[in-house]
Amino acid sequence: MDVQHITTDGKTTATVDSLLRATPYPVILLNVTQQLTAWNAPARDLFALTGDTQPNLADLPGGDRLVQWLSGTQDTVEWALSEEIRYRPYVEPIGDREQPLGWVMLLRDMTERQRLVRSQAEYIRLISHDLRTPLTSVVGFASMLQQLLIGDELAQPRHFVNKIISGLNVLTGLLENIQDAGRFDPETGFYEMSRTMCDPGEIVQRIIKNYPMPADKPDLRVRVTIDDDVPVFAADTNMLERAVSNLFDNAVKYTPNGSAIDVHVQRSGDEVIIAVRDSGLGIPPEDQQRLFQRHTRVARKEFKKIKGTGLGLFIVRSVAQHHGGRAWVESESGQGSCFYLALPVVTRPTRQD
Ligand code: ADP
């Protein structure tokens, strides 16, 4: 028999039996002691339930995590039965919410979705990679052309080439962000990070030194402070560079010419904290949290002309999460913003490159 009868309230309901039969996802019914009292065919197959016994939830393969999830101590949205097979549990109490007679647990199969997300990320990665190759060569030739255009009589073509180059720089930045967003997707776990020993102060200084300041912001004042006790630590250099570049890029983008940007690298307890403070327009409190979500941009008339994908801060937060760290912002409208990236001081590299 595919469906055991519901025993929690002593009644057998044919309707519920049919419902259980109809759903393609595994469904189990638990009594108040978390013992399985009924299940449908997909659940029987998934957990190899024989029907001879009524096991406890904790006795099922991977059941301990489901128990944690049921008691609310596990907030992971996905439960992996194996590397490939993933389910998302949904739980509903039976009867009174405060004093339930048991629970219905439905496990939604996420395996196929996971595969789709992965292939989508792979597709994005391939396309952005293929676009970068010709772009790099166009940037190279445009830069060579720029060097040939010297003298007053060539001022106009030089001006055009400068415009082309700054447009190409924007394009390159956008492509890098799209590429990174595919690699850093926490849902796919697509990107395998590699920690090597690196000096966060050196990374920050290098990025700022090489940053192509836009021609319309000649009077931005940038100050970098690296505290003496900032340690060399094990982090994914590439990820760290991307995060810092995005934070600095935003500070430049969203700060008017003539204002100041302060970058501070410090150690605080077991963390290295990189703070990028600007004196721009600031961010209203209601927008501060969602900025870190993928593709989120704040609609403000002052920012209308500023190009972006809404991926920069998503990347910053993903980098923080991959390192077991944090990213957040403190800001008041009109008072500028300070973005923080805090990474734990890990001393052991994961892989020697
Ligand atoms: P993008 O800059 O490509 O739009 P981000 O994820 O980097 O994407 O930023 C998301 C949004 O957060 C931006 O559109 C902007 O509205 C806001 N933002 C980011 N950095 C700052 C900053 N330093 N000052 C004010 N607003 C900012």
Side-chain angles (χ1 to χ4, degrees), residues 56-226:
N56 285 321
L57 185 60
D59 300 330
L60 301 179
D64 44 344
R65 294 207 51 208
L66 288 175
V67 171
Q68 290 171 349
W69 201 81
L70 190 63
S71 61
T73 55
Q74 173 68 260
D75 60 1
T76 305
V77 284
E78 282 198 4
W79 169 71
L81 190 64
S82 70
E83 185 75 2
E84 281 298 309
I85 304 172
R86 285 166 183 278
Y87 287 90
R88 180 169 295 179
Y90 294 85
V91 172
E92 188 59 30
I94 300 172
D96 183 10
R97 217 161 251 283
E98 298 305 317
Q99 277 187 313
L101 298 165
W103 295 271
V104 180
M105 184 182 276
L106 179 142
L107 296 166
R108 185 171 156 214
D109 191 347
M110 305 300 284
T111 316
E112 187 56 28
R113 186 181 171 280
Q114 164 101 347
R115 243 196 305 269
L116 282 176
V117 172
R118 270 193 194 185
S119 59
Q120 190 188 27
E122 174 74 357
Y123 181 66
I124 291 174
R125 211 168 59 85
L126 282 176
I127 295 225
S128 46
H129 178 265
D130 287 355
L131 285 174
R132 272 205 72 167
T133 314
L135 190 60
T136 310
S137 108
V138 176
V139 171
F141 284 116
S143 305
M144 274 149 65
L145 188 57
Q146 187 187 38
Q147 283 165 21
L148 296 177
L149 300 174
I150 307 164
D152 284 349
E153 70 282 11
L154 294 175
Q156 198 182 33
R158 193 165 57 240
H159 173 71
F160 292 151
V161 171
N162 287 349
K163 288 264 175 219
I164 291 172
I165 290 177
S166 62
L168 290 173
N169 285 339
V170 173
L171 259 183
T172 309
L174 292 177
L175 266 184
E176 275 171 5
N177 276 359
I178 293 169
Q179 236 172 336
D180 284 351
R183 291 162 79 210
F184 294 159
D185 196 332
E187 275 176 338
T188 62
F190 202 69
Y191 183 58
E192 195 195 323
M193 68 180 281
S194 138
R195 287 184 192 265
T196 51
M197 295 314 282
C198 63
D199 177 350
E202 183 275 320
I203 288 179
V204 167
Q205 269 167 329
R206 177 161 42 80
I207 286 170
I208 294 177
K209 189 166 148 257
N210 296 332
Y211 186 83
M213 273 293 174
D216 61 340
K217 304 249 167 114
D219 299 323
L220 266 188
R221 280 165 288 130
V222 179
R223 196 173 61 182
V224 183
T225 315
I226 318 277

Side-chain angles (χ1 to χ4, degrees), residues 174 177 246-247 250-255 278 280-283 291-293 295-300 303 306-314 331 336-337 339:
L174 292 177
N177 276 359
N246 274 298
L247 289 180
N250 278 349
V252 173
K253 274 197 312 197
Y254 298 107
T255 303
D278 64 56
L281 295 163
I283 302 158
L291 289 184
F292 291 89
Q293 290 163 14
H295 297 306
T296 301
R297 307 202 70 216
V298 178
R300 286 173 69 164
F303 295 168
I306 302 176
K307 299 259 178 315
T309 52
L311 286 173
L313 292 175
F314 168 73
S331 175
S337 321
F339 282 86

Side-chain angles (χ1 to χ4, degrees), residues 229-251:
D229 61 345
V230 171
V232 167
F233 74 140
D236 187 302
T237 317
N238 186 27
M239 282 194 187
L240 188 52
E241 285 173 356
R242 299 294 305 136
V244 173
S245 300
N246 274 298
L247 289 180
F248 190 68
D249 194 41
N250 278 349

